[in-house]
Amino acid sequence: PMESAFALALTAGIKGVAMVMDPEAQPLTRVWCLFEFFLSTRERLELVFVTNAGVVGDDGCSSFDIALEVGKKIESLQVETCEASS
């Protein structure tokens, strides 16, 4: 995985990552997205969650429910229960 295009991009000196979230925070149930999340935190990149209402945490972003769902998913992350496609 460290030779993948995503890993190479995330370790090439970028400043941050935007993860697009749906109301159920489905990206946090996908193993590839968790890999990106892991690399982002390991590389100390700015990581923002983006919804159809804007960037979670920004003024004017009305995605409180999604922010709560993201928190719940992060709190209970288990890679072995994540999905992957072939």
Side-chain angles (χ1 to χ4, degrees):
M2 291 307 294
E3 294 81 31
S4 68
F6 286 112
L8 293 173
L10 290 173
T11 58
I14 64 171
K15 295 182 190 273
V17 174
M19 186 175 282
V20 179
M21 286 290 161
D22 62 350
E24 293 81 33
Q26 288 297 309
L28 295 176
T29 67
R30 309 288 301 163
V31 73
W32 195 252
C33 294
L34 288 186
F35 178 65
E36 293 175 20
F37 182 84
F38 164 75
L39 281 181
S40 297
T41 55
R42 187 187 82 171
E43 297 295 313
R44 291 182 165 77
L45 301 174
E46 179 180 3
L47 177 64
V48 296
F49 298 106
V50 182
T51 71
N52 62 345
V55 177
V56 173
D58 279 0
D59 292 339
C61 181
S62 60
S63 54
F64 182 73
D65 291 340
I66 294 175
L68 287 177
E69 190 62 32
V70 167
K72 287 179 195 174
K73 290 275 177 90
I74 289 172
E75 183 178 64
S76 63
L77 283 179
Q78 292 184 359
V79 175
E80 55 274 354
T81 62
C82 288
E83 300 174 7
S85 57
S86 53

